[in-house]
Amino acid sequence: MFELIKAGGWVMWPIILCSVAALAIIGERFWSLQKKYVAPPNLLAQVQQLLARNELEPSHLAALRDSSPLGRVLAAGLVNRDHDREIVKEAVENAGRQVVPELERYLRSLGTIAGISPFLGLFGTVIGMIQMFSGIGQHGVGDPSIVAAGISTALITTAGGLAVAIPSLMFYRYFRGRVNELLLEMEQEAVKLVEILHGERESENG
């Protein structure tokens, strides 16, 4: 492996750094975008129980707000539960907009890695070709090792760039879809809460 990196030249090092960063982002997003951390399935039911028993205290709201992104959205609605429907809806929407950057954290960086990695590989290819023609110009075509070294650098960096870019792009698209799914689910739960607070929906436990 080290021999391949050495043969690829110094351009391989930024490609390797991109691969390490991509792996770190992918691992972190896989962990953070689990449904149980973003939109726990029983959270709204727990809120309904507290509302039904009239036991919703500030401490409950604080715990709800700290529990998950969905918890922050629901807490924003509950804080304004004594106001008109439009005010509650606006509070929920504002909280939802604040949650979006948290769910999309590092995805822009992952997309950037997917975009620049092939160009790094192409840059290495150009450098390899320059080295090859420069060697031919100085020593002629009698030494095949000069041509082989330039072609090796070109091919290794191209392969390295693609090896980083392809999975990075795949996981970028996957995580974007995952975020959209979670946001849609959170929106549905928030709508249910607004309807419950204004008597337009019966409690699922009642």
Side-chain angles (χ1 to χ4, degrees), residues 56-69:
L56 195 62
E57 302 292 336
S59 59
H60 293 133
L61 288 175
L64 181 65
R65 191 178 294 111
D66 295 336
S67 66
S68 63

Side-chain angles (χ1 to χ4, degrees), residues 15-194:
I15 292 176
I16 291 172
L17 289 176
C18 285
S19 70
V20 172
L23 285 173
I25 292 172
I26 290 168
E28 192 276 338
R29 289 292 85 189
F30 259 125
W31 179 266
S32 298
L33 292 179
Q34 295 182 67
K35 184 177 178 180
K36 62 181 179 180
Y37 295 134
V38 178
N42 296 322
L43 197 59
L44 182 58
Q46 296 172 10
V47 170
Q48 290 176 345
Q49 292 175 2
L50 292 173
L51 287 171
R53 296 196 297 262
N54 199 24
E55 296 178 353
L56 195 62
E57 302 292 336
S59 59
H60 293 133
L61 288 175
L64 181 65
R65 191 178 294 111
D66 295 336
S67 66
S68 63
L70 175 60
R72 286 200 291 279
V73 173
L74 297 182
L78 291 169
V79 167
N80 295 277
R81 62 187 181 275
D82 294 329
H83 296 284
D84 295 337
R85 176 190 173 96
E86 289 303 317
I87 294 178
V88 176
K89 184 179 178 182
E90 183 178 352
V92 167
E93 290 175 349
N94 288 336
R97 283 192 289 268
Q98 294 174 7
V99 163
V100 171
E102 179 180 344
L103 299 183
E104 294 181 343
R105 183 182 300 164
Y106 306 129
L107 291 189
R108 184 174 297 178
S109 298
L110 186 61
T112 300
I113 290 172
I116 67 172
S117 295
F119 290 105
L120 287 173
L122 179 61
F123 183 53
T125 300
V126 172
I127 290 177
M129 299 303 291
I130 291 173
Q131 290 174 348
M132 182 182 69
F133 287 113
S134 177
I136 291 174
Q138 292 178 6
H139 304 284
V141 294
D143 188 357
S145 64
I146 296 174
V147 177
I151 294 176
S152 176
T153 299
L155 294 178
I156 289 172
T157 54
T158 300
L162 292 175
V164 175
I166 292 172
S168 296
L169 180 59
M170 290 173 57
F171 281 108
Y172 172 77
R173 295 290 179 85
Y174 168 77
F175 288 131
R176 292 292 301 184
R178 181 64 176 159
V179 167
N180 289 336
E181 291 176 3
L182 291 170
L183 288 174
L184 179 60
E185 185 164 346
M186 291 170 60
E187 181 181 352
Q188 292 172 345
E189 293 293 283
V191 169
K192 290 180 183 177
L193 176 66
V194 173

